Every structure is written in C-alpha cells, then in structure tokens.
Amino acid sequence: MPQMTMVQAITDALRIALREDPRVVLLGEDIGRNGGVFRVTEGLQEEFGPERVADTPLAENGIVGGAIGMAMYGMRPVAEIQFVDFIYPAFDQIVSEMAKLRWRSAGQYACPVVVRAPYGGGIRGGLYHSQSPEAYFCHTPGLTVVIPSTPSDAKGLLLAAIAGEDPVNFLEPKRLYRSLREDVPGGRYETPIGRARVARAGGQLSVLAYGAMVPVALEAAEAAQARGWSVEVLDLRTLLPLDTDAVLESVRRTGRVVILHEAPRTCGYGAELAAVIAEKALTSLQSPVLRVTGYDTPFPFTLEHTYLPDARRVLEAIEHAMSY
C-alpha cells in the first residue's frame, strides 16, 4: 500500500476515473499542460489528451456552465476552480442550475458534476486565496458538499463523488495538500458520502471538525489527554448531507461539545451544528455548546497564524467545557 500526500491521492483518483469511464472529463484553468496551480492534474493531459483534460479560459461561470451542459448529455465532468475564492462568478450556475436541475426537470435529468476547489488558509495566500465559503453552499438543497481531511478519504470520497448521479462541491483543504502522508489503498475504492468518521475515540467531550481543522482537533485532544480528559474527535467529512446520527451519538455519549472550523463565526457551519444539537440532544449536554472559529473579518495575510484556530484555542474551549 503506497504512502501518498493528499495531492497524490486526488491525482490517483482522477486517473482511475479517467481510465475506467470514458465519460469522465476534466476541465479548468491551467489544468492541462501546467498541471494546475497545485499540480493536482500533473501528467493527466499527457496520458489522456486535451479533449479529456481540457484547459479553459479564465471564466468560472463558463467552466461550471459548460460542465452542466456536458452532464446533461451523458458525460461526467470534473470542473476545477483554481481557488475556491474565485468560485463566486459561477455561484449562480452552481446554486440556480446545477443544484436544481433534477428538480426542475422532474427527474428527467441528473447533473453528475463534481466541482473541485482548494479552499481555506495555511499557505499565506491572503484574503483572495484563503476563504472558507462552505456555508454558502450548504444552504443550497440539491448540492452535496464534501471536505476530506486525509489522503485516503480524499481519494475514496472523490471517486464516490464522480460515480454519483448528483452534483458535488468537493472542497480540498490546501493546507493539507502536502503536509501529511499516509497509506492509501491502490486501485478503486469509494468512501461513502454522508458518513462521518471517528478520528479519535473519547468519552468526556466531542470535538466536531472537518478539513484542515481535524489535525488541529487531534493535537488539542492529545494535549487534553495529558490533563486527564478523554476527548473524541469526529471528522464530519460530508457537510451536506450531514451525518446527523453520528453527531448526536457522539454528543449524547460525551455530554460536552466543541465545534471547530476556520470559516468566520457568524452564520458559519458551526451554527447549524449547534442548532441540531440544541434541538435533538439538549438534555444530554453537561455544558454549553462552544465554537472555535475564524474571526468575522476578511482573511488576513500577515496575521494568518492569529486568525486560524490552533490547538491552544481548542484546548481553552475544552478546559472551559470540562470545568463548567
């Protein structure tokens, strides 16, 4: 079983999909000869040709709109947005067309489009290359929103997304692209979409996280263990649909919860998690639901390390919950 970074695992998934299904095509800015800004598609145009790994103009609405048309005619396009910060020109195509095609056609058309985009901070990209807009898309019925935190999950979730019949926004935490390696199974396998993963078992408090915040949560849980606190880390993996059963099972068992994400606090995805817990597990709680998040400011450049949640801030929230 080879060791891979997340970039290598995603490339492997795309190569497998292209080899196995002639309907799969990739399109995006500089993804062909240049291999993409993060080199995720490096070598794929050489192997499969420019008709299946296609460079596009700098026009995100055209990239996603073209992918929708391809899907309606039986293809399985994977569209890359160079940074998720650039996805907003395609927002109308995603939320008004891609997400609603099955509904507006009364089931006559599916829309198996996967929109890949690197997201989040961690590379000193400043305000135009570090945003975390997942909550915008989680407010859109008809979309699936996936955010992996490990190379093996990135590969399995991407293959599952490409094989599915409905549109997926596949957000890739670029902070994790090359910062960790792990054993990744060779060949095709699929990680079920819509199911969370217990990244670390514990019995006194649950930390709910996804993407690049999962390693932060694990670091904080390790520090909490040194103080005698047993902390569980639940990696959500899929935000829409949410694995509500896994969230509630964890919270009901531990009785305390800290929600962690790097997006701004107000109306962030953590607010939805807190509402679900308040509605369905309130009597199980032994302390208030706490959130550790980014701040309600544009993403900074020089103060990136201050903006992004770290293990120290998570540990402070754990300490507050445990002493409540």
Side-chain angles (χ1 to χ4, degrees):
M1 188 178 297
Q3 281 213 334
M4 295 185 184
T5 63
M6 185 175 286
V7 163
Q8 292 169 328
I10 293 170
T11 305
D12 194 37
L14 294 172
R15 179 175 284 109
I16 289 169
L18 286 162
R19 284 176 178 171
E20 294 183 350
D21 191 341
R23 299 173 299 170
V24 174
V25 293
L26 313 185
L27 65 158
E29 299 162 14
D30 296 326
I31 69 165
R33 186 168 60 180
N34 198 43
V37 69
F38 291 100
R39 303 297 185 263
V40 175
T41 55
E42 191 168 32
L44 296 181
Q45 190 180 73
E46 293 177 5
E47 183 173 352
F48 298 99
E51 292 185 351
R52 297 191 64 200
V53 182
D55 286 313
T56 68
L58 200 161
E60 285 76 17
N61 59 340
I63 293 169
V64 176
I68 294 169
M70 292 177 184
M72 291 180 68
Y73 280 87
M75 301 175 76
R76 291 188 171 271
V78 181
E80 178 182 300
I81 303 299
Q82 203 167 72
F83 287 83
V84 78
D85 314 61
F86 307 156
I87 205 169
Y88 304 118
F91 195 80
D92 182 53
Q93 292 286 351
I94 293 170
V95 304
S96 298
E97 306 298 340
M98 194 172 89
K100 295 177 173 60
L101 187 59
R102 182 185 290 277
W103 274 260
R104 70 180 290 199
S105 68
Q108 294 181 76
Y109 292 99
C111 194
V113 176
V114 177
V115 178
R116 292 181 43 250
Y119 95 107
I123 65 163
R124 294 178 62 83
L127 68 165
Y128 290 125
H129 299 79
S130 306
Q131 296 177 62
S132 299
E134 61 271 17
Y136 295 142
F137 300 107
C138 290
H139 192 62
T140 305
L143 282 183
T144 296
V145 179
V146 175
I147 304 181
S149 70
T150 67
S152 58
D153 275 352
K155 177 180 176 179
L157 288 166
L158 183 55
L159 283 169
I162 295 171
E165 294 299 324
D166 290 304
V168 178
N169 270 17
F170 195 89
L171 305 184
E172 301 164 5
K174 54 184 175 288
R175 183 179 178 182
L176 302 183
Y177 265 161
R178 292 178 171 87
S179 63
L180 56 89
R181 289 177 175 269
E182 69 171 2
D183 292 338
V184 176
R188 166 174 286 277
Y189 66 91
E190 295 182 11
T191 301
I193 290 175
R195 293 187 191 174
R197 171 182 73 96
V198 177
R200 178 189 175 109
Q204 292 179 288
L205 182 143
S206 301
V207 178
L208 310 181
Y210 52 88
M213 290 296 100
V214 173
V216 174
L218 291 170
E219 183 182 349
E222 186 68 25
Q225 185 69 42
R227 300 191 184 188
W229 300 325
S230 176
V231 173
E232 179 158 292
V233 176
L234 189 68
D235 178 2
L236 299 181
R237 300 197 293 194
T238 304
L239 304 191
L240 190 68
L242 172 66
D243 189 350
T244 305
D245 290 342
V247 170
L248 295 176
E249 192 279 330
S250 180
V251 172
R252 285 168 178 157
R253 182 162 38 77
T254 66
R256 300 176 181 88
V257 61
V258 172
I259 297 168
L260 173 60
H261 60 69
E262 64 180 272
R265 183 182 184 88
T266 299
C267 293
Y269 190 72
E272 176 64 22
L273 294 172
V276 169
I277 293 165
E279 289 172 354
K280 299 184 178 181
L282 182 64
T283 57
S284 298
L285 294 176
Q286 301 179 46
S287 67
V289 176
L290 301 176
R291 288 177 290 167
V292 179
T293 70
Y295 298 106
D296 289 337
T297 68
F299 196 97
F301 175 63
T302 57
L303 297 177
E304 180 181 76
H305 62 286
T306 302
Y307 179 92
L308 288 170
D310 57 16
R312 176 190 57 81
R313 287 174 58 191
V314 179
L315 186 59
E316 288 175 355
I318 292 171
E319 182 176 16
H320 180 78
M322 293 303 301
S323 61
Y324 182 79

